[in-house]
Amino acid sequence: MEIPVPESLIQHFEKIFIDIKSLESPVAKRAIKYFPKEKIEIVHQEPWSEHTGELTASQFDRSKRNLFLTPFAGQFFKRCPGATQKKTLTCCNYYVLNLGSQCNMNCSYCYLQSYLNSPVMKIYTNIDQALNELGEMAEKHSELPYRVGTGEIIDSLSLDEITLYSRELIEFFRKYPRWTLEFKTKSNRINQFLDLAPAKNVVVSWSINPPEIINSEEHGTARFEERIYAAKKCAEAGFSLAFHIDPIIWHPNWKENYSYLVKILTKEFSPEQINVISLGTLRFQPEQRHMMRERFGLKSYVTSAEMFSSEGGKLRYDAALRNEMFQFVKNEFYATDSRWNIFLCMETPETWIQSFEKTPMQVPGLKDFFRPLPAIS
Amino acid sequence: MNVIKRSLVEIQTLKSDLQFPEFPSPTRAPGKSIQVPLAWSIGDQLISGFTLSKGAQALSIPLSDTKSNVDYFYEVNPKLSVPQVCFLINSPVFSTLFDTDYFFSCWGKGQKENLSALATSLITFPMELLCWIHEKDVGVQDLAPLKAISFEQIHHFIESFLKTRPSKTEGVQILELVVDLTLLGTSQEEILSAMDGGAHIALKNLKVLRYPNTMDRDQDLKGKLLLSWPSNIQTKFQRRGDRAGFDLQLFVSSSTELKKTVNHLEKVVEEWKSLSQNR
C-alpha cells in the first residue's frame, strides 16, 4: 500500500537535512521520494552545529521548520522525567522511547521551549537499533506491565507519515502483550496504520483541551472535532484509547468549556474503550516564561496565567485553584459513570489526596499503573 | 602570553566608532599593576573616554589579530556589565576588531545568542536605567523580559522605576512585572500609581495588578483570620509559592492546656467548614 507524505508536511518544512550516515535508511528514502529536490540537503554534520547554549525564540522557531534525519547514538529508552522526581511527585511507571526531538506543531505552553537546545528538529533513522534495545528489555521483563510512550519530546504521530514508525512499533509490541505502547498525539494522522490488525496493548492517545483552548493555545494542531473523529476511527479499528486533559488551563469560561469537553468524550466513548484519562494543570519551568513571552506575547491564557513556584521548582497555579480544577473535571466524568479511569499527571501527593481523597495505590483501576516496577533503563 | 606594548596617545587622534560609554563605576582590573586609564584604545579605535576633555591621553594597545585584540581587551577589562557588552557588540567596528565567538567565550559564556538578541533594544533604553543595570550587575537572564518589549512601550515607567530605589532582586522583579502588565494592556496610569512609593511597596502593588484572581482568593482566605482562634495561638497569613495558608504558632505549658487548645481548634474547624458551606 502506497502511503505518501501529505502536502501539508511537505509545505511545513523549509529544509530536510539528511545525515550522510542515514542516506540508506527507509526514512531518508521516503524523504527523498516525496520532498522536492530543493528542500533536500545531504550533510556531513548537524546543521547549525556551531550553536551552543540555550536557543533564542527565533532559533526555536527555526528549529520547527527544519528537519534533520540522523542516527541516534545514545540510549533510546528512558524513564519518564516525572519518575525521577519521586520525592515531590506521585508518578506512574512510564517509560519513553525517543525516536526524535522537537515538534512540528506550536503550543504556547510546550515544555520543549525550555527543554531543547538543539537548533533543528530531529528524526532518528536507526529505529532498528531502538527496537533491538527495547527487545532486550522486553525479553528480560516480558511478564511485567511496562508502559512505553513515544510522545515525550516529539509527537508520536504528527510526522508518522514521513517515518511510518507506528507500523513497526505496533508489530513489535504485538510480541509482548504484557507491555503497553502509547502513541500520544495532538494530530489526526492515523490512516497510515489503521490497516494493521489492532494490537490490544497499543493505546492511541490524544492530548486534548476544549475548542477554545485548542484555538487559542495549540497552534498547528488538529482541531477538537478532528481529534475526536480520529479517536473514533481508532476505536472502531480496535485500538485502545486514552485522553490526556493536560494542561488544564484556567480561563474565564473554564468550567463551561471543560464541562463541554467531558460531555463530548463521555458521549462519544465508553469507559471500556478508554484505557485511561489523565489530568494535569498548566506547569512549566520558570525560565520558559521568557521564551513564551517573546513568542506569544501576553494575550494568551498561558502567558498571562497567574503562576507561582511550587515544590520541585516548576511554576504552577495556586494549589487551591489546581485542586478546584481537578475536582471539577473529575466530578464531571464521575457524574456520567464511576468507571472512568482517571489519574493526575506529575502531581504532588498532597494534591492527589485533596482531589481524590486517596493515593493512586488506593484506587483499584490505577494500582497497576503506580505499582513500583524494577527500573530497567 | 605576549607582552603587550602600550603607549599614551592624544584622544583627539583616535577614532570613536566603537561606542563603549563610561559608567559611573567603571570596572577595573583588580590587582593589576597597570592602572586602567581614563581612556584607552586598540590601535586607533577609542574604546572608552567619550566625555574626556580635550588634550586627555589614552592608553593605546597596538592593533593586532582579532583574537589577540580580545586578549588585550580582556586583560584591561576582565569584567564587563551587560550594557557594556551590548554597546560593544552594537558598534559598527565590533566584528572587525574582535573575534566574535572568542569574545563571547570571555564575556557571557553560553549567552552569545541571548546577549545578541538583547543588545539592539537595550542600548535604546535611557542611560539612567543602563547605569542601574551596570551598577547592580544585573545578568542577561534577568533582563530577558526586555526582549519582549520596545523602549517606546515602557519609557514612561523608567523614571518611576528608578525613584523606587530598588535592590537588584526587587528591580528585576519590578521590571518583569511592568513588562508583563504593559503587554497585558494595563493602563499606564495604573502601573505608574502602583509604583508610587519605595521598591517594596511598588512590588506589592504591581503583584496585585498582575495576579488579581489569586489576590482575591488570598483576600478571601485572609478573612479566616477572624475565626475564633484560641488566644494562645498566633495566626499569620502566608503565601509560600503556589500555596497560601496560615502559619500557626502555639505556646502551651501543660498537657491540659494543649488539650484545651486542641478542643478549641476543633471548634475553629467547624466554624471554617460552616463558613465555606454558606458561601
Side-chain angles (χ1 to χ4, degrees):
Chain A
M1 185 178 76
E2 171 84 4
I3 304 171
V5 174
E7 191 54 32
S8 57
L9 275 184
I10 294 171
Q11 289 297 324
H12 174 85
F13 288 106
E14 287 170 2
K15 207 93 182 167
I16 310 291
F17 296 94
I18 302 176
D19 189 329
I20 189 114
K21 296 195 283 289
S22 292
L23 207 48
E24 291 306 312
S25 68
V27 183
K29 285 179 180 167
R30 278 180 65 76
I32 291 167
K33 181 174 176 186
Y34 290 106
F35 281 84
K37 253 195 299 193
E38 59 274 16
K39 289 201 176 191
I40 301 281
E41 191 175 328
I42 317 290
V43 294
H44 287 83
Q45 62 174 18
E46 184 174 326
W48 301 288
S49 57
E50 71 285 0
H51 170 84
T52 54
E54 293 166 18
L55 295 176
T56 62
S58 60
Q59 288 170 330
F60 188 83
D61 286 337
R62 186 185 63 189
S63 75
K64 285 186 168 287
R65 301 187 305 269
N66 289 277
L67 177 61
F68 182 40
L69 306 180
T70 185
F72 182 58
Q75 192 182 7
F76 284 96
F77 190 59
K78 288 178 182 148
R79 295 190 88 180
C80 171
T84 61
Q85 295 179 54
K86 289 265 185 202
K87 276 188 186 160
T88 48
L89 304 176
T90 301
C91 271
C92 58
N93 292 298
Y94 200 72
Y95 282 79
V96 290
L97 184 68
N98 294 327
L99 299 171
S101 65
Q102 196 33 305
C103 178
N104 57 321
M105 297 175 280
N106 197 15
C107 298
S108 58
Y109 51 78
C110 181
Y111 90 107
L112 296 179
Q113 293 172 105
S114 57
Y115 185 82
L116 292 180
N117 53 17
S118 166
V120 67
M121 187 186 306
K122 288 176 188 164
I123 284 178
Y124 303 128
T125 51
N126 48 339
I127 188 173
D128 45 343
Q129 278 178 31
L131 294 181
N132 282 343
E133 195 183 298
L134 195 59
E136 280 175 26
M137 312 279 185
E139 286 297 334
K140 273 189 221 159
H141 304 279
S142 60
E143 293 313 308
L144 292 173
Y146 284 99
R147 294 158 56 239
V148 181
T150 55
E152 192 213 1
I153 52 171
I154 189 164
D155 186 280
S156 294
L157 297 175
S158 69
L159 299 174
D160 197 44
E161 286 150 306
I162 299 177
T163 65
L164 301 183
Y165 284 168
S166 60
R167 300 178 70 85
E168 291 186 60
L169 288 162
I170 291 169
E171 295 307 337
F172 178 89
F173 272 78
R174 219 188 282 285
K175 293 181 282 186
Y176 304 100
R178 286 285 287 155
W179 282 45
T180 304
L181 167 69
E182 181 181 18
F183 293 129
K184 196 190 272 189
T185 189
K186 284 195 184 90
S187 78
N188 58 346
R189 318 311 300 185
I190 50 159
N191 290 334
Q192 68 281 10
F193 63 81
L194 282 188
D195 62 307
L196 299 178
K200 278 271 172 228
N201 59 333
V202 175
V203 178
V204 190
S205 77
W206 275 267
S207 166
I208 197 153
N209 249 310
E212 185 174 345
I213 294 298
I214 291 179
N215 296 338
S216 69
E217 309 296 334
E218 299 181 352
H219 313 286
T221 62
R223 302 296 83 186
F224 179 76
E225 299 74 17
E226 290 174 321
R227 293 186 216 180
I228 298 291
Y229 179 70
K232 282 173 81 172
K233 276 176 82 177
C234 285
E236 280 162 19
F239 287 92
S240 298
L241 303 180
F243 286 100
H244 305 285
I245 307 179
D246 190 0
I248 299 174
I249 293 172
W250 185 93
H251 56 289
N253 300 325
W254 72 271
K255 284 190 178 169
E256 191 185 326
N257 286 335
Y258 281 99
S259 178
Y260 172 79
L261 166 64
V262 174
K263 189 178 124 194
I264 299 297
L265 291 180
T266 54
K267 189 180 114 198
E268 299 292 346
F269 307 99
S270 66
E272 291 78 20
Q273 287 174 305
I274 301 186
N275 176 279
V276 76
I277 293 164
S278 76
L279 308 180
T281 54
L282 181 66
R283 59 203 175 275
F284 47 82
Q285 293 293 344
E287 62 273 20
Q288 187 175 313
R289 69 192 192 281
H290 302 308
M291 185 174 289
M292 295 196 303
R293 188 191 288 112
E294 255 193 281
R295 299 184 68 233
F296 299 99
L298 259 281
K299 301 278 161 78
S300 140
Y301 294 132
V302 169
T303 51
S304 63
E306 299 181 19
M307 306 295 277
F308 301 91
S309 63
S310 65
E311 211 179 328
K314 281 185 185 167
L315 296 182
R316 295 175 191 262
Y317 292 128
D318 173 64
L321 176 63
R322 293 207 311 270
N323 186 35
E324 187 186 341
M325 294 175 111
F326 285 137
Q327 289 272 10
F328 179 83
V329 177
K330 185 196 77 172
N331 291 342
E332 290 286 296
F333 273 107
Y334 288 159
T336 67
D337 197 315
S338 60
R339 292 172 302 153
W340 297 107
N341 226 0
I342 301 174
F343 76 79
L344 306 183
C345 184
M346 291 200 184
E347 263 300 343
T348 58
E350 291 81 13
T351 313
W352 263 98
I353 289 165
Q354 278 179 16
S355 306
F356 284 79
E357 287 161 1
K358 45 186 94 157
T359 65
M361 285 299 282
Q362 295 166 318
V363 182
L366 298 179
K367 263 187 193 170
D368 272 354
F369 290 126
F370 287 84
R371 181 177 291 133
L373 293 173
I376 56 172
S377 59
Chain B
M1 198 175 181
N2 294 335
V3 178
I4 308 162
K5 223 175 118 186
R6 299 170 176 85
S7 55
L8 284 170
V9 294
E10 299 282 319
I11 62 162
Q12 294 96 310
T13 63
L14 299 169
K15 291 179 191 164
S16 55
D17 296 334
L18 192 64
Q19 293 190 6
F20 182 64
E22 285 285 345
F23 284 94
S25 44
T27 50
R28 288 180 186 263
K32 296 275 169 187
S33 52
I34 332 147
Q35 281 294 305
V36 178
L38 287 173
W40 56 285
S41 71
I42 293 178
D44 60 356
Q45 276 297 338
L46 184 66
I47 304 292
S48 63
F50 280 64
T51 54
L52 292 178
S53 57
K54 216 175 163 186
Q57 288 187 311
L59 182 71
S60 183
I61 293 160
L63 183 66
S64 187
D65 63 276
T66 55
K67 260 194 167 177
S68 301
N69 285 343
V70 174
D71 281 335
Y72 300 154
F73 192 63
Y74 190 72
E75 194 198 342
V76 284
N77 221 336
K79 187 165 164 31
L80 292 179
S81 66
V82 171
Q84 285 175 321
V85 173
C86 289
F87 272 107
L88 277 171
I89 59 184
N90 263 293
S91 297
V93 290
F94 174 70
S95 53
T96 23
L97 208 57
F98 296 123
D99 177 305
T100 312
D101 286 334
Y102 189 47
F103 180 90
F104 283 106
S105 73
C106 297
W107 296 274
K109 275 194 181 85
Q111 294 289 348
K112 178 186 168 188
E113 310 294 348
N114 280 324
L115 270 167
S116 308
L118 184 68
T120 325
S121 65
L122 193 73
I123 59 164
T124 65
F125 284 80
M127 207 57 192
E128 292 79 5
L129 180 68
L130 299 182
C131 284
W132 180 83
I133 295 170
H134 171 85
E135 280 166 20
K136 301 288 180 192
D137 196 21
V138 181
V140 192
Q141 271 303 328
D142 292 332
L143 296 170
L146 297 179
K147 286 194 285 180
I149 205 156
S150 67
F151 166 59
E152 286 73 32
Q153 287 172 284
I154 58 160
H155 72 98
H156 332 276
F157 309 116
I158 305 298
E159 199 187 327
S160 302
F161 168 77
L162 294 167
K163 271 189 190 162
T164 66
R165 304 181 63 80
S167 67
K168 178 179 169 179
T169 314
E170 289 167 334
V172 165
Q173 288 184 60
I174 291 175
L175 276 179
E176 180 161 9
L177 285 164
V178 169
V179 168
D180 275 1
L181 288 167
T182 305
L183 294 174
L184 278 166
T186 310
S187 76
Q188 192 183 319
E189 292 71 32
E190 264 187 294
I191 300 175
L192 283 172
S193 103
M195 290 165 79
D196 197 10
H200 181 69
I201 295 165
L203 205 48
K204 202 171 150 196
N205 292 341
L206 290 167
K207 279 182 183 170
V208 172
L209 292 178
R210 177 64 182 85
Y211 306 108
N213 295 329
T214 313
M215 293 302 150
D216 281 352
R217 205 179 270 272
D218 285 357
Q219 209 52 44
D220 210 31
L221 193 57
K222 277 180 199 166
K224 307 291 188 302
L225 284 170
L226 300 174
L227 297 176
S228 46
W229 298 94
S231 55
N232 59 336
I233 286 188
Q234 280 190 335
T235 49
K236 197 175 158 195
F237 173 85
Q238 279 190 355
R239 170 157 285 284
R240 297 177 182 170
D242 66 336
R243 295 167 68 85
F246 298 102
D247 181 41
L248 304 184
Q249 266 191 13
L250 166 66
F251 183 81
V252 286
S253 49
S254 68
S255 59
T256 324
E257 204 181 344
L258 179 61
K259 179 89 175 79
K260 205 174 145 191
T261 310
V262 170
N263 288 342
H264 194 148
L265 276 174
E266 275 171 10
K267 282 185 195 150
V268 177
V269 172
E270 291 311 312
E271 209 182 331
W272 189 326
K273 273 189 192 165
S274 93
L275 263 181
S276 307
Q277 280 160 6
N278 293 338
R279 275 181 67 194

